[in-house]
Amino acid sequence: MASIHKFYDRRVSLVVGTGALVVHRVSEDRLVIPLAVIAEVHRPEPRSLDLLLTDGEVQHVDCIDSDAMAEFAATLTRALPEQRDPAGSARIIGPGARGSRWDPDFTAVVLCLLAYVGYTVWVGFAYEWRVLGPIAGALPLLLGGVLCVVTGSEVHDRRKLARRGVVVEAEDIGRRIPMYYFNDADGVPHLFDSRSNTPTIRIICDPRRPYSGFEEMPRAALIRKVTLRLTAGGLLLWLGGWLAFGLLG
């Protein structure tokens, strides 16, 4: 597995893979900067870093820990490739690089919520006090529906990835909360959240969308996880359905 190098403090996080540097400043979206467009790395001050790009643009980074920044700057300089790309800042990947968050599943959820609100309003006019049923049933219906949809979507995605996905190894980057990074085919590091407490984990992901993937699990553990989630989701849907629709009879 290709090595990942990182720098963290309260102002910024920097993670460098074999082909790119990920810059994530506080309260800002992350930037992915290919190493090939970084011409030079400078430290104008102990607590800052300047990345001079091949087109003359400069990316400035402020930090708090000057000693750690000095070590990271040296590591980044050693990681720069010999052959540079003159495109410079045009190659930087900014906000929205992960794709649109508005997907068909989210659209379906919004439409269902709007329909349910309309149903609740109609019950309030037609049955008066019985509107308490749809109001009380909203939460279990929502939780049960989301649990079933998320579980079904995961099963569907895992089946697709079993056919065309690739397995990568991600390494723990040593924060208080387990966080793992891995390099994609272009050397861009990606973050993967996991509750595992092991130095490395194996992730199956789509090479075209490496930021979305799943941790490898034994078949028995996966079946148990899916069964428990669907059972809980089904019970919540039954309870919410009885409250929302059963009381009208």
Side-chain angles (χ1 to χ4, degrees):
M1 177 182 58
S3 181
I4 297 284
H5 303 282
K6 81 284 184 183
F7 169 87
Y8 284 108
D9 68 13
R10 294 194 300 273
R11 289 186 179 179
V12 66
S13 69
L14 305 169
V15 182
V16 59
T18 57
L21 169 70
V22 176
V23 181
H24 197 165
R25 301 179 181 89
V26 174
S27 302
E28 294 183 21
D29 291 300
R30 72 172 195 165
L31 297 177
V32 178
I33 306 176
L35 297 182
V37 305
I38 302 176
E40 298 176 3
V41 178
H42 300 291
R43 295 184 63 225
E45 298 178 359
R47 296 184 178 181
S48 66
L49 185 73
D50 279 350
L51 305 174
L52 175 62
L53 306 184
T54 53
D55 62 351
E57 294 290 326
V58 175
Q59 282 287 329
H60 182 78
V61 178
D62 290 315
C63 69
I64 296 174
D65 190 340
S66 58
D67 293 335
M69 176 58 84
E71 182 179 348
F72 181 83
T75 300
L76 176 58
T77 299
R78 290 193 298 270
L80 296 180
E82 293 184 5
Q83 197 167 18
R84 300 297 208 275
D85 184 344
S89 54
R91 291 282 312 280
I92 292 179
I93 303 174
R98 290 169 64 106
S100 174
R101 295 183 180 180
W102 190 276
D103 53 35
D105 290 341
F106 185 69
T107 303
V109 170
V110 171
L111 292 176
C112 288
L113 287 176
L114 291 176
Y116 191 79
V117 170
Y119 168 74
T120 304
V121 172
W122 173 77
V123 172
F125 280 108
Y127 293 91
E128 297 180 352
W129 67 268
R130 291 188 181 183
V131 74
L132 294 176
I135 293 176
L139 183 59
L141 278 175
L142 178 61
L143 292 178
V146 169
L147 196 56
C148 289
V149 169
V150 168
T151 304
S153 178
E154 179 177 343
V155 171
H156 178 261
D157 290 342
R158 280 184 179 272
R159 292 188 63 182
K160 286 197 305 183
L161 290 176
R163 296 191 298 268
R164 70 185 187 196
V166 296
V167 177
V168 296
E169 195 172 69
E171 65 177 281
D172 184 8
I173 56 174
R175 302 194 72 182
R176 286 174 293 180
I177 301 174
M179 297 177 69
Y180 295 81
Y181 266 95
F182 65 93
N183 287 317
D184 63 18
D186 297 321
V188 178
H190 295 276
L191 173 67
F192 187 88
D193 295 321
S194 172
R195 296 180 181 273
S196 300
N197 290 312
T198 56
T200 61
I201 59 174
R202 288 166 61 85
I203 301 169
I204 180 170
C205 60
D206 188 337
R208 295 171 297 182
R209 302 171 68 239
Y211 48 80
S212 61
F214 300 96
E215 187 174 352
E216 272 196 333
M217 296 178 63
R219 179 178 291 271
L222 180 59
I223 292 175
R224 183 167 61 250
K225 172 185 174 182
V226 171
T227 301
L228 289 175
R229 283 187 174 183
L230 290 180
T231 300
L235 290 174
L236 286 169
L237 287 175
W238 176 85
L239 175 61
W242 179 78
L243 289 171
F245 306 102
L247 295 180
L248 298 184

